[in-house]
């Protein structure tokens, strides 16, 4: 199978590539991540993805446009709805991967996002299935999360740069700002409380 594998970064590609090869599939890596900021971080992750591909001898295609402004426009508009920013982010990357795969003669597409224990797995699966139908290209689904630790070990053996936050400038802020983390916890607690109240009143 001629599989286009969206790579969110080098370290997250370690386990999925190993697993796919063990199953007889030779993927082509595809780096398209307008969600990574600031520029130096994006550049570092791009270089690491290339370094990984070179070390494991895998073909890689890279989109080297840094799209901070486009991302911010979309993200700020999406922030209005709960989960909106990440939903937009998955949608953008998975749609582009599905479209690129369909237009360039691949049999199927997938993403290393399905390796991450931090991403919203079911939402991404639903999104990928939607674009699979829309572009008439097979979505190769595999839950790579059981290989989480193995992937970390491989990335360390290969000496790859490992990033400390998800990607966008908002996630960088959330990673380092205690106040924001506290605020988000409070909001989540409040949402739970409201959901419990509305559940009780329905009963
Ligand atoms: S937190 Fe991660 S998944 Fe969510 S918008 Fe930012 S980069 Fe994308």
């Amino acid at each position: 199978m001629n599989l286009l594998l969206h790579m969110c970064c080098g370290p997250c590609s370690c386990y999925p590539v190993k697993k796919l090869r063990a199953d007889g599939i030779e993927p082509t890596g595809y780096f398209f991540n307008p969600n990574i900021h600031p520029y130096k971080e994006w550049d570092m992750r791009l270089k690491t993805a290339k370094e990984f591909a070179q070390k494991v001898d895998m073909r890689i295609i890279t989109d080297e446009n840094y799209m901070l402004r486009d991302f911010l426009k979309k993200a700020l508009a999406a922030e209005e709805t709960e989960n909106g920013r990440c939903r937009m982010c998955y949608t953008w990357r998975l749609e582009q991967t599905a479209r690129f795969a369909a237009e360039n003669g691949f049999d199927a597409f997938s993403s290393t996002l399905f390796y991450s224990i931090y991403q919203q797995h079911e939402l991404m699966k639903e999104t990928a299935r939607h674009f699979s139908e829309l572009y008439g290209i097979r979505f190769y689904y595999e839950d790579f999360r059981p290989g989480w630790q193995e992937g970390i070990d491989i990335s360390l053996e290969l000496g790859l740069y490992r990033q400390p936050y998800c990607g966008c400038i908002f996630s960088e802020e959330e990673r380092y700002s205690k106040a924001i983390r506290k605020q988000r916890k409070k909001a989540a607690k409040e949402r739970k409380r409201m959901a419990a109240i509305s559940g009780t009143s329905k009963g």
Side-chain angles (χ1 to χ4, degrees), residues 35 71 85-86 88-90 93 119 166-168 170-171 174:
N35 59 311
F71 183 90
R85 180 184 7 117
C86 295
M88 175 283 292
C89 182
Y90 301 143
R93 291 187 283 168
Q119 304 297 343
C166 187
C168 65
F170 304 97
S171 63
E174 284 154 13

Side-chain angles (χ1 to χ4, degrees), residues 119-165:
Q119 304 297 343
Q120 298 169 55
H121 200 92
E122 292 306 314
L123 175 58
M124 297 190 303
K125 203 187 338 175
E126 209 180 278
T127 307
R129 285 198 173 134
H130 169 75
F131 290 117
S132 160
E133 275 179 29
L134 192 69
Y135 292 101
I137 177 102
R138 181 177 165 201
F139 163 47
Y140 181 88
Y141 172 67
E142 182 161 349
D143 183 354
F144 295 112
R145 289 175 297 182
W148 180 250
Q149 190 53 49
E150 196 178 338
I152 293 175
D153 296 342
I154 301 171
S155 73
L156 294 173
E157 273 164 33
L158 293 176
L160 299 180
Y161 162 70
R162 296 184 55 82
Q163 60 269 12
Y165 60 94

